[in-house]
Amino acid sequence: MNKIYIVMYHYVRNLKGSRYPEIKGLDYALFKKQIQFFSENFHVITMEDVIHYYTEGYPLPPNALLLTFDDGYIDNYTYVWPVLLEYKMQGSFFVPAKTFCENCLLDVNKIHFILASTPIEELCRELYEQLDYYRSKEWDYPSNEELFHKYAIANRFDTKETIFFKRILQAVLPEELRGIISSSIFKKYVGISEEVMAQELYMNYDQMKVIKRQGGFFGIHGYNHYWMNRLEKNELLTDIDLALDSMSELVDRKQWVINYPYGSYSEKVIEWIQGKGCLLGLSTDVKVADLERDNQFVLLRLDTNDFPPKSENFKSYDIG
């Protein structure tokens, strides 16, 4: 069988009991139910199984399913890993190395907690004010109306206003300005220092080594969590080298797996990472993966919300 369900997770935590119950994640109780569902209905495989499929023609079982976890949150260590150990399942974890090397809160996570703390209408007003202020300084970019028209496009999880807020602060503005504005809004609406949040939010290297020693798999998620398809070749390769060096005890430099931040791959990105020893790539494109037909550097994934107990959407993405 060549079909494989690859499940994508981000936050897994006790949402109701947390300081940020509106963060978009999977509640711990539902995660345990979902893992029970997987144990009864699928064959949960390892990343090594997938690697061996490509390198040695290793056969995969029917209803094969792979568990992947993005961004290296402490949730992986405190909530996820104990459950996976109980069920004798592997998780594959993809960590932006900057989080544990520099104790740095990524812009993407600033945005997550801003959105979990404040109504989007108020945040858009704040963002408009910031855009107007910096537009009159050294930065030049289109009007707020033009930006909204171009980037406010809803997806299956977020409204057009939320997508607009994310895109402007994740990709559209220059990197320096994105950091300035996101930090300003984070300070105003979340009200906790970025250093403290970073310490609370991410796994440290010792915790990752424990998971690795007990059978977990680690791959590359970049160093800076950049949109990789926006980088020049030297920028991308520098970012990859930093990530590989930082995770040298967790990742095999000669044969490693990448999970593109934001799903940001391109033909050039794939060409460049192949030259660095990358063997497989995970995307955020939504479908059940077919290892025979799909590009091994653009393996398709489904979201945790596509499976029970949240929904049965996974059936509609089945390639048959």
Side-chain angles (χ1 to χ4, degrees):
M1 296 292 292
N2 303 313
K3 181 171 66 176
I4 175 174
Y5 298 83
I6 306 178
V7 190
M8 175 175 59
Y9 293 90
H10 288 86
Y11 301 101
V12 177
R13 54 179 58 189
N14 176 9
L15 292 173
K16 293 181 181 179
S18 73
R19 284 187 295 175
Y20 305 97
E22 298 304 316
I23 201 77
K24 288 198 171 181
L26 184 65
D27 188 78
Y28 177 54
L30 297 183
F31 174 71
K32 290 191 290 185
K33 290 181 180 179
Q34 188 165 88
I35 294 300
Q36 176 66 33
F37 172 78
F38 290 156
S39 73
E40 295 171 353
N41 294 275
F42 294 89
H43 289 100
V44 179
I45 62 174
T46 68
M47 185 63 77
E48 289 84 358
D49 291 334
V50 182
I51 291 173
H52 293 156
Y53 169 87
Y54 284 107
T55 59
E56 303 170 22
Y58 181 86
L60 297 178
N63 289 325
L65 183 140
L66 183 71
L67 302 172
T68 66
F69 299 84
D70 294 15
D71 297 338
Y73 300 126
I74 188 63
D75 305 0
N76 298 164
Y77 186 77
T78 55
Y79 289 109
V80 168
W81 189 240
V83 175
L84 298 187
L85 281 178
E86 178 184 349
Y87 281 87
K88 296 181 171 59
M89 295 178 181
Q90 187 194 69
S92 293
F93 303 92
F94 296 88
V95 183
K98 187 175 184 178
T99 60
F100 62 86
C101 288
E102 301 183 31
N103 187 37
C104 177
L105 187 64
L106 301 176
D107 285 348
V108 64
N109 295 129
K110 296 178 203 175
I111 295 166
H112 289 166
F113 286 94
I114 291 168
L115 289 168
S117 303
T118 309
I120 187 59
E121 296 78 13
E122 184 173 350
L123 292 175
C124 283
R125 288 194 294 271
E126 177 71 28
L127 179 57
Y128 286 149
E129 291 179 7
Q130 298 258 6
L131 290 171
D132 288 339
Y133 176 79
Y134 287 106
R135 189 182 287 108
S136 63
K137 305 295 182 181
E138 68 248 49
W139 284 282
D140 181 32
Y141 41 84
S143 69
N144 296 343
E145 293 75 15
E146 290 176 275
L147 290 171
F148 189 85
H149 178 74
K150 183 172 182 179
Y151 296 106
I153 302 172
N155 65 18
R156 65 191 188 119
F157 294 126
D158 290 318
T159 66
K160 63 181 182 180
E161 290 79 10
T162 299
I163 290 295
F164 169 73
F165 188 85
K166 287 182 175 181
R167 290 292 175 266
I168 295 299
L169 294 180
Q170 287 176 347
V172 175
L173 297 178
E175 182 181 0
E176 181 183 1
L177 184 56
R178 295 200 305 265
I180 292 170
I181 294 179
S182 62
S183 289
S184 172
I185 298 177
F186 182 88
K187 181 178 180 180
K188 180 174 181 178
Y189 290 100
V190 181
I192 183 173
S193 78
E194 293 183 21
E195 294 77 10
V196 170
M197 177 64 84
Q199 289 175 344
E200 294 181 357
L201 185 60
Y202 306 115
M203 288 188 287
N204 62 43
Y205 203 57
D206 287 337
Q207 290 165 334
M208 289 187 279
K209 287 194 290 185
V210 169
I211 293 176
K212 173 72 172 180
R213 187 167 61 247
Q214 294 178 341
F217 181 90
F218 282 86
I220 294 301
H221 203 39
Y223 183 87
N224 289 284
H225 202 264
Y226 285 144
W227 290 76
M228 291 186 167
N229 58 353
R230 295 171 180 261
L231 300 178
E232 298 296 331
K233 183 177 182 179
N234 65 319
E235 294 174 319
L236 174 69
L237 296 183
T238 296
D239 189 79
I240 293 296
D241 280 334
L242 283 172
L244 289 169
D245 290 342
S246 301
M247 302 184 72
S248 60
E249 296 180 73
L250 304 172
V251 175
D252 181 356
R253 285 193 74 113
K254 296 179 181 179
Q255 186 172 274
W256 46 274
V257 179
I258 195 166
N259 178 347
Y260 308 104
Y262 311 104
S264 56
Y265 65 87
S266 68
E267 290 184 6
K268 286 187 176 181
V269 168
I270 292 171
E271 176 187 343
W272 296 336
I273 62 176
Q274 279 185 270
K276 301 292 292 184
C278 184
L279 183 63
L280 304 174
L282 300 179
S283 75
T284 54
D285 298 341
V286 182
K287 200 173 181 181
V288 180
D290 185 320
L291 302 190
E292 183 174 330
R293 296 189 295 186
D294 294 343
N295 185 332
Q296 69 191 72
F297 294 96
V298 191
L299 295 179
L300 310 171
R301 293 193 288 173
L302 301 178
D303 192 81
T304 173
N305 292 294
D306 291 319
F307 295 89
K310 296 299 293 272
S311 78
E312 294 193 353
N313 290 343
F314 73 97
K315 294 179 180 178
S316 66
Y317 292 111
D318 198 323
I319 58 179

